[in-house]
Amino acid sequence: MWTKSHHVSREGLEKLMERGLNGRHRSFMVLRLIRCCEWLRCCGGGEPRPRTVWLGHPEKRDQRYPRNVINNQKYNFFTFLPGVLFSQFRYFFNLYFLLLACSQFVPEMRLGALYTYWVPLGFVLAVTIIREAVEEIRCYVRDKEMNSQVYSRLTSRGTVKVKSSNIQVGDLILVEKNQRVPADMIFLRTSEKNGSCFLRTDQLDGETDWKLRLPVACTQRLPTAADLLQIRSYVYAEEPNIDIHNFLGTFTREDSDPPISESLSIENTLWAGTVIASGTVVGVVLYTGRELRSVMNTSDPRSKIGLFDLEVNCLTKILFGALVVVSLVMVALQHFAGRWYLQIIRFLLLFSNIIPISLRVNLDMGKIVYSWVIRRDSKIPGTVVRSSTIPEQLGRISYLLTDKTGTLTQNEMVFKRLHLGTVAYGLDSMDEVQSHIFSIYTQPQDPPAQKGPTVTTKVRRTMSSRVHEAVKAIALCHNVTPVYESNGVTDQAEAEKQFEDSCRVYQASSPDEVALVQWTESVGLTLVGRDQSSMQLRTPGDQILNLTILQVFPFTYESKRMGIIVRDESTGEITFYMKGADVVMAGIVQYNDWLEEECGNMAREGLRVLVVAKKSLTEEQYQDFEARYVQAKLSVHDRSLKVATVIESLEMEMELLCLTGVEDQLQADVRPTLETLRNAGIKVWMLTGDKLETATCTAKNAHLVTRNQDIHVFRLVTNRGEAHLELNAFRRKHDCALVISGDSLEVCLKYYEYEFMELACQCPAVVCCRCAPTQKAQIVRLLQERTGKLTCAVGDGGNDVSMIQESDCGVGVEGKEGKQASLAADFSITQFKHLGRLLMVHGRNSYKRSAALSQFVIHRSLCISTMQAVFSSVFYFASVPLYQGFLIIGYSTIYTMFPVFSLVLDKDVKSEVAMLYPELYKDLLKGRPLSYKTFLIWVLISIYQGSTIMYGALLLFESEFVHIVAISFTSLILTELLMVALTIQTWHWLMTVAELLSLACYIASLVFLHEFIDVYFIATLSFLWKVSVITLVSCLPLYVLKYLRRRFSPPSYSKLTS
């Protein structure tokens, strides 16, 4: 026995549990095997292991479990400083400046005071550390809020309050209705009379349908919840894994005679992140923290580095190359005389201004300004910037990947259309339907409920009876249960007895079903009661129709239909009602000439269409069916096939009653927002966990797929051959939207990843349905790798977190269902429509401003470096600085910092124009504002202006060297101020203030700069005219060129502003 246990797998344990070992012997054997396997696994490594969890006894654990905490932080207390410094010195020029500053400790290399190198570097790092610290603190506060949510725990001392973060494996937790489940649990008890509960899982898997969950039968039978602590029982569960749709485990009660064992499946689970939709439940905690299914389906948050930052980093490498070349040229012109290697290092230090240290500071502070502007925008209230490092990314998005439920839609169904073939009723004509129903039940003749099955369809019925049959079918064919809740005034039992309208709430697995039943109530037929075997309808005349439920055939994704057989208690009439998708119902109903056409018309309007039919059965027909049905359900082999065959024998020549059209309400302004994004050159992909039909309807309704576009629904493929054939079929389609399920997508990516992505990227729109959270992230990753374009992911649920974190720019929508997505996102918005303004206005402005700012800072540094090069070459290639001490620091700080930084307030067009013409955004996708071409133009401008100022000063100075410094430095400051004015496109009052303030600062500081500048000389007329001439020669040609370019080759935005 002991030797065999070395090879016992989890499957082996499950088989052993399912086998006939009973009583104490069985539980002893199982426990012994489990412990043996755990010991072996423990020795073999720290991989996840199965576990035995004792109810209400977290101290009886057999292994260490993680704490039940949510953590969205990038760093902790100890890793913060090393992490931030590492991420900063990963940038090439930050590392370069660190080496530069360190070199000043070597006497042979020192060129000036230490503070001229260490103060700028220290300032850069301080700004970055403070910004990261603020973001981490905000993140910590948000996480703490989530971890501090209070739940009730059952203990031997009664019910005690416990924070979510203090919940342990083995705890018995009480979860109220509409409360979020705090950890992965096994469902033990419910307060619902029917012994089950509904779960909302859209935050976990994206599905809108509510899920029915069943408690462990053994614990549900206990008199009270407190008795859970009095029994000796445990749950054996599989190791934590990523699969949210399956679970394997067993429940064992040891203190009964004989011991009771029940197998556990997905129906007995309550996963973290889901919401209890009915009653109060008690569960035992199985998994916590990083072992939660929802957490295992999300990726770790990563530090995102923007494409713009990488491009700037690349430009600085080019500048570094230029720096090395210039230094080598200078030494080469000296014929490598003396200690030439030290001369190279001194020249590298002398020309270090070629790479501007202030570039990083300016860009980082610019990002803070953009974030502040976004937060303050009254047109997009409630928008939060959680990652202030990547606002420029918003201006270059090529692919937008969006969730459906809660992001594009409100997940609120509205009944829109009833079609009877010859007549259709919309929202504006529902009063006619109501009057037909009223006339049927208030006429003195026998109501239709009392007509027997002898009435045939050949007799042309009145419109009222046709409407009544359709409404009655809709009111009966569903899985909805009415529940009565006390509203403070009424007692719950009393409300249920009296069928009180104000206390009634409908519960169902699908919101579509609820919408249909609510509609039948609005027109006069109200579902007032239902249990496993009966249903009660109330008519407009306050009669109660009692019906016995004989059989229910639930909806499945394979069958795409649901059916019910009911017997009217007053007449004994047996009717088989069925509703389903048009593709399956077309072959079941009697021949007609309108079904296909009208289904197509309603689907084009974005409505979810259901076909409703009925068939009257005699008692003999039903008895014959029941006998065959029971026989099929008892068979061991091919049970599901035999059952389906028996049901299909009924599904023939059914009478078509009506079509229903239900709409999933879209979020406000989704259609115009998607149209704006499309016109801006952004391709939109919808990734949802919902059903194929639902996703297709929403895509049409939201105009994600335009009216004149075809839709190619990718068939379900399971192997390489099928995938190959289907891809070939898809390749022949042109300008066609693609709809594909997650399973088919997985097969295609496995065998034909390159071919599939190539075809999908050519589509105007793509819809992926039945997507797992990890699949969403995989699609984002593939788009980034295959296209090299920037992606933006938008979602509102926990199932979107992986996708949001994987994308270049993640946007979370704060929905009804919690804040998990918005907390993990880089930007958080309150409505999907705000995305348009976030990208078109703020994204565009941020990118254009940063592009202008970065190039201007580079220009400012290149100007002074060109002057240094000219000065050194004129004075026999001496490695002597032209400007020293405060002049060199003041140049890039108080004298030019404010005007240059004021470029972050510049804009080429008004925000209204940017929203009206989204085509302006399309220009940015090519990256023209910051390219090698624009960089080269600024380099040439810098060389021209630097050379002009330096040669001008050398030509015009008369006697003393200090006059060269005064003339050239003053001309340089004035040139920079004029160049800022030339670059600005829309003046802001702060820009004017910055220009005047900088000029005033320079004039005022001249009094203190007598060490570098002759104060008496600058007061002479000679100084003034020389500076004026040099400044004019350096700037006037550029003003002329700008005018000519505006006149003969204006940019696209100037055409809109003129």
Side-chain angles (χ1 to χ4, degrees):
M1 177 67 217
W2 198 232
T3 52
K4 279 184 186 177
S5 66
H6 283 66
H7 306 287
V8 174
S9 63
R10 190 177 97 217
E11 290 76 12
L13 286 176
E14 286 156 9
K15 284 175 186 170
L16 183 59
M17 289 180 178
E18 288 165 12
R19 222 179 286 153
L21 288 168
N22 285 319
R24 297 188 183 279
H25 178 64
R26 171 182 168 177
S27 59
F28 169 76
M29 295 281 281
V30 169
L31 274 172
R32 187 175 170 189
L33 277 168
I34 291 166
R35 282 172 188 152
C36 172
C37 289
E38 280 169 358
W39 179 81
L40 287 167
R41 274 201 178 94
C42 189
C43 296
E47 62 186 54
R49 296 177 289 156
R51 60 192 57 190
T52 302
V53 178
W54 293 84
L55 268 62
H57 295 287
E59 72 282 352
K60 285 189 179 180
R61 57 182 176 214
D62 51 4
Q63 52 184 291
R64 284 176 68 90
Y65 302 120
R67 286 189 67 215
N68 194 43
V69 289
I70 289 171
N71 184 9
N72 286 308
Q73 292 167 253
K74 287 187 279 189
Y75 311 105
N76 60 34
F77 181 78
F78 298 104
T79 60
F80 174 72
L81 203 57
V84 172
L85 290 175
F86 173 75
S87 66
Q88 283 307 300
F89 290 125
R90 201 166 46 171
Y91 285 113
F92 169 75
F93 57 69
N94 282 3
L95 184 63
Y96 165 71
F97 281 112
L98 178 67
L99 295 172
L100 205 67
C102 290
S103 72
Q104 293 304 288
F105 290 115
V106 181
E108 288 88 351
M109 297 180 188
R110 187 174 295 177
L111 289 174
L114 277 175
Y115 71 85
T116 58
Y117 289 93
W118 280 102
V119 169
L121 181 64
F123 182 67
V124 170
L125 293 176
V127 168
T128 305
I129 289 168
I130 290 167
R131 192 194 67 225
E132 286 284 348
V134 168
E135 286 190 5
E136 282 296 291
I137 289 165
R138 280 183 188 155
C139 204
Y140 168 76
V141 170
R142 290 194 304 266
D143 287 346
K144 191 176 179 184
E145 184 188 335
M146 295 292 285
N147 292 326
S148 299
Q149 290 183 352
V150 177
Y151 291 86
S152 299
R153 178 166 65 193
L154 290 180
T155 67
S156 53
R157 300 187 306 279
T159 305
V160 295
K161 297 294 179 187
V162 61
K163 286 183 180 177
S164 171
S165 56
N166 293 334
I167 289 172
Q168 298 179 357
V169 172
D171 279 345
L172 295 173
I173 302 295
L174 221 93
V175 189
E176 307 282 343
K177 183 182 176 183
N178 291 329
Q179 202 174 15
R180 190 172 297 282
V181 178
D184 288 354
M185 307 198 297
I186 289 296
F187 183 16
L188 300 176
R189 283 183 67 79
T190 176
S191 61
E192 294 287 276
K193 287 182 180 176
N194 58 9
S196 63
C197 89
F198 279 109
L199 269 188
R200 294 207 301 271
T201 64
D202 50 342
Q203 291 293 291
L204 184 70
D205 57 17
E207 291 187 25
T208 53
D209 294 0
W210 290 6
K211 307 292 188 300
L212 188 71
R213 290 290 182 262
L214 304 171
V216 176
C218 170
T219 50
Q220 179 65 22
R221 286 196 297 267
L222 295 173
T224 64
D227 293 326
L228 289 167
L229 293 159
Q230 308 304 319
I231 62 172
R232 268 180 60 79
S233 55
Y234 64 85
V235 171
Y236 172 70
E238 64 183 351
E239 70 272 11
N241 63 62
I242 205 166
D243 191 352
I244 56 175
H245 298 296
N246 292 295
F247 174 74
L248 286 171
T250 55
F251 174 88
T252 305
R253 181 176 175 182
E254 286 194 331
D255 58 351
S256 63
D257 196 20
I260 299 169
S261 277
E262 289 184 38
S263 64
L264 302 175
S265 68
I266 189 68
E267 287 186 331
N268 310 109
T269 59
L270 305 169
W271 294 145
T274 57
V275 177
I276 303 298
S278 63
T280 302
V281 305
V282 179
V284 61
V285 177
L286 273 191
Y287 309 114
T288 52
R290 64 175 181 275
E291 294 181 343
L292 297 174
R293 290 293 207 269
S294 54
V295 173
M296 292 178 86
N297 271 285
T298 59
S299 50
D300 291 330
R302 63 185 179 99
S303 284
K304 295 182 183 179
I305 298 173
L307 177 62
F308 178 81
D309 291 320
L310 295 173
E311 288 172 345
V312 169
N313 205 27
C314 184
L315 293 182
T316 54
K317 287 175 185 174
I318 294 170
L319 290 172
F320 179 73
L323 167 65
V324 172
V325 169
V326 170
S327 302
L328 286 171
V329 167
M330 286 292 177
V331 176
L333 291 169
Q334 291 178 340
H335 307 293
F336 295 99
R339 296 166 73 184
W340 59 269
Y341 50 88
L342 267 180
Q343 284 296 319
I344 288 177
I345 294 171
R346 282 181 66 84
F347 274 119
L348 284 172
L349 294 168
L350 196 63
F351 295 126
S352 62
N353 278 323
I354 287 179
I355 303 173
I357 191 166
S358 57
L359 179 59
R360 189 78 257 146
V361 180
N362 276 291
L363 289 177
D364 283 353
M365 289 175 71
K367 292 171 195 285
I368 293 168
V369 171
Y370 309 146
S371 303
W372 183 81
V373 170
I374 291 170
R375 279 197 291 267
R376 291 290 299 250
D377 190 345
S378 59
K379 300 273 180 69
I380 48 172
T383 302
V384 180
V385 180
R386 303 203 190 280
S387 176
S388 59
T389 55
I390 54 168
E392 297 93 354
Q393 300 277 78
L394 292 169
R396 304 173 71 181
I397 301 298
S398 296
Y399 287 92
L400 180 80
L401 300 106
T402 175
D403 177 42
K404 179 186 75 71
T405 312
T407 305
L408 296 179
T409 67
Q410 299 177 26
N411 198 18
E412 289 177 7
M413 307 299 165
V414 178
F415 189 92
K416 281 288 184 82
R417 188 78 48 83
L418 178 72
H419 207 298
L420 300 174
T422 52
V423 63
Y425 298 98
L427 281 178
D428 52 350
S429 53
M430 289 303 173
D431 52 340
E432 290 180 42
V433 178
Q434 199 170 8
S435 64
H436 283 309
I437 300 295
F438 269 76
S439 68
I440 286 287
Y441 284 103
T442 51
Q443 280 173 357
Q445 73 259 29
D446 293 343
Q450 291 171 3
K451 292 180 185 175
T454 52
V455 179
T456 64
T457 53
K458 290 175 186 174
V459 179
R460 183 168 176 79
R461 297 174 299 169
T462 63
M463 182 51 69
S464 291
S465 65
R466 286 182 62 201
V467 170
H468 167 259
E469 281 296 346
V471 174
K472 187 178 176 184
I474 296 166
L476 291 173
C477 188
H478 52 71
N479 64 0
V480 181
T481 307
V483 176
Y484 293 86
E485 299 175 344
S486 56
N487 57 5
V489 183
T490 323
D491 176 59
Q492 187 169 335
E494 185 64 26
E496 203 160 332
K497 203 173 174 182
Q498 301 297 326
F499 298 137
E500 193 106 3
D501 286 353
S502 61
C503 305
R504 189 187 310 110
V505 178
Y506 292 119
Q507 288 181 352
S509 64
S510 167
D512 302 47
E513 300 252 81
V514 175
L516 292 171
V517 173
Q518 284 173 338
W519 175 76
T520 63
E521 180 183 355
S522 72
V523 295
L525 269 183
T526 308
L527 176 71
V528 290
R530 178 175 185 156
D531 54 32
Q532 301 286 341
S533 59
S534 67
M535 217 185 300
Q536 291 79 39
L537 292 184
R538 186 168 62 203
T539 68
D542 272 345
Q543 279 179 279
I544 299 293
L545 298 179
N546 288 298
L547 298 111
T548 304
I549 300 172
L550 299 174
Q551 300 289 347
V552 177
F553 313 116
F555 176 91
T556 64
Y557 293 122
E558 291 76 34
S559 68
K560 294 185 173 60
R561 58 191 183 272
M562 71 103 28
I564 189 168
I565 302 178
V566 294
R567 178 190 278 121
D568 191 322
E569 289 298 307
S570 58
T571 62
E573 180 185 346
I574 299 172
T575 314
F576 173 35
Y577 291 107
M578 176 165 275
K579 68 177 180 194
D582 55 314
V583 285
V584 292
M585 294 296 286
I588 291 171
V589 297
Q590 293 167 349
Y591 174 76
N592 60 84
D593 56 1
W594 61 274
L595 175 64
E596 190 179 344
E597 184 185 348
E598 293 305 332
C599 281
N601 292 340
M602 287 163 76
R604 274 188 287 279
E605 292 178 43
L607 300 177
R608 302 190 191 192
V609 184
L610 284 175
V611 180
V612 184
K614 78 162 200 174
K615 187 176 191 177
S616 295
L617 303 174
T618 61
E619 188 67 40
E620 294 75 27
Q621 283 175 319
Y622 175 70
Q623 292 300 337
D624 171 55
F625 164 78
E626 188 182 34
R628 289 184 292 121
Y629 186 61
V630 169
Q631 189 65 40
K633 286 212 295 191
L634 289 173
S635 61
V636 179
H637 301 293
D638 301 327
R639 181 187 297 174
S640 55
L641 182 67
K642 289 176 181 174
V643 167
T645 307
V646 173
I647 297 171
E648 281 170 17
S649 68
L650 272 189
E651 297 171 343
M652 290 185 293
E653 290 297 301
M654 294 189 74
E655 180 188 343
L656 174 59
L657 297 177
C658 65
L659 306 182
T660 63
V662 174
E663 182 183 78
D664 188 353
Q665 290 281 79
L666 293 174
Q667 297 274 5
D669 295 334
V670 160
R671 290 184 190 128
T673 304
L674 287 175
E675 190 175 350
T676 298
L677 297 172
R678 207 167 26 241
N679 292 340
I682 299 171
K683 288 189 174 181
V684 184
W685 289 30
M686 186 168 85
L687 314 180
T688 176
D690 221 332
K691 299 190 289 284
L692 189 137
E693 293 82 4
T694 313
T696 310
C697 282
T698 304
K700 289 176 181 173
N701 196 15
H703 296 176
L704 178 66
V705 179
T706 56
R707 283 177 180 274
N708 54 0
Q709 271 174 358
D710 287 334
I711 293 180
H712 178 81
V713 179
F714 207 89
R715 281 193 313 110
L716 191 65
V717 296
T718 54
N719 55 50
R720 186 173 191 149
E722 290 177 0
H724 182 76
L725 291 171
E726 194 59 25
L727 279 169
N728 283 341
F730 178 44
R731 189 176 274 110
R732 289 191 285 272
K733 302 282 182 76
H734 297 287
D735 191 38
C736 174
L738 172 66
V739 178
I740 186 168
S741 70
D743 295 336
S744 300
L745 180 72
E746 199 170 336
V747 175
C748 289
L749 294 180
K750 186 178 177 182
Y751 298 112
Y752 298 105
E753 185 184 290
Y754 177 79
E755 292 85 349
F756 175 78
M757 290 306 294
E758 186 184 25
L759 288 171
C761 289
Q762 292 168 7
C763 292
V766 177
V767 177
C768 298
C769 52
R770 310 292 294 160
C771 262
T774 43
Q775 260 185 328
K776 292 184 178 186
Q778 186 189 9
I779 292 166
V780 173
R781 195 160 49 248
L782 283 170
L783 271 177
Q784 291 166 339
E785 290 169 2
R786 294 288 170 201
T787 64
K789 304 280 178 65
L790 291 190
T791 58
C792 175
V794 191
D796 74 316
N799 59 322
D800 304 316
V801 170
S802 289
M803 166 175 83
I804 284 170
Q805 290 179 337
E806 190 62 47
S807 66
D808 297 296
C809 187
V811 179
V813 182
E814 276 197 26
K816 300 173 191 171
E817 299 299 330
K819 298 182 177 180
Q820 204 173 343
S822 74
L823 291 178
D826 304 307
F827 301 89
S828 171
I829 55 179
T830 53
Q831 292 184 55
F832 183 81
K833 67 176 181 180
H834 293 167
L835 190 66
R837 188 173 175 86
L838 189 67
L839 299 182
M840 299 302 117
V841 177
H842 295 291
R844 185 174 181 277
N845 284 345
S846 298
Y847 176 47
K848 292 204 74 159
R849 287 165 176 173
S850 282
L853 179 63
S854 60
Q855 291 175 124
F856 204 93
V857 171
I858 289 170
H859 157 265
R860 184 175 67 183
S861 297
L862 282 175
C863 265
I864 198 166
S865 298
T866 305
M867 290 169 70
Q868 177 67 59
V870 171
F871 173 77
S872 291
S873 57
V874 167
F875 288 95
Y876 309 106
F877 311 108
S879 55
V880 178
L882 170 61
Y883 305 123
Q884 293 193 353
F886 186 77
L887 284 185
I888 199 77
I889 288 182
Y891 170 66
S892 56
T893 54
I894 63 167
Y895 299 151
T896 59
M897 182 175 74
F898 298 116
V900 171
F901 187 67
S902 70
L903 290 171
V904 300
L905 301 170
D906 194 19
K907 57 182 177 186
D908 53 355
V909 293
K910 290 180 179 176
S911 55
E912 293 77 19
V913 176
M915 288 297 291
L916 193 61
Y917 297 99
E919 290 78 10
L920 289 171
Y921 187 90
K922 203 182 284 187
D923 290 348
L924 305 188
L925 300 181
K926 295 163 186 165
R928 283 176 181 159
L930 181 70
S931 61
Y932 290 121
K933 179 185 172 183
T934 57
F935 172 67
L936 187 62
I937 289 168
W938 276 104
V939 168
L940 294 173
I941 290 170
S942 307
I943 292 170
Y944 164 73
Q945 290 185 325
S947 305
T948 302
I949 294 167
M950 198 64 232
Y951 279 119
L954 289 168
L955 284 171
L956 298 177
F957 97 105
E958 287 159 4
S959 53
E960 297 183 39
F961 169 71
V962 78
H963 291 179
I964 296 179
V965 174
I967 294 169
S968 63
F969 195 74
T970 307
S971 300
L972 179 62
I973 297 294
L974 291 174
T975 297
E976 286 302 316
L977 297 181
L978 287 170
M979 283 301 292
V980 170
L982 177 69
T983 308
I984 288 169
Q985 289 160 335
T986 308
W987 281 86
H988 189 282
W989 65 271
L990 280 172
M991 294 171 169
T992 312
V993 170
E995 291 266 315
L996 296 173
L997 183 66
S998 296
L999 192 59
C1001 282
Y1002 177 61
I1003 294 167
S1005 68
L1006 289 174
V1007 180
F1008 307 104
L1009 298 176
H1010 53 81
E1011 188 185 339
F1012 312 108
I1013 293 174
D1014 184 350
V1015 180
Y1016 299 105
F1017 172 65
I1018 59 173
T1020 63
L1021 198 63
S1022 168
F1023 169 78
L1024 292 174
W1025 78 259
K1026 287 173 184 176
V1027 167
S1028 301
V1029 168
I1030 291 169
T1031 307
L1032 206 63
V1033 172
S1034 72
C1035 292
L1036 190 62
L1038 296 170
Y1039 271 84
V1040 172
L1041 282 170
K1042 183 179 179 181
Y1043 171 76
L1044 292 173
R1045 188 171 173 228
R1046 277 285 178 107
R1047 187 85 176 79
F1048 298 108
S1049 177
S1052 55
Y1053 60 82
S1054 65
K1055 297 169 190 172
L1056 302 174
T1057 52
S1058 57

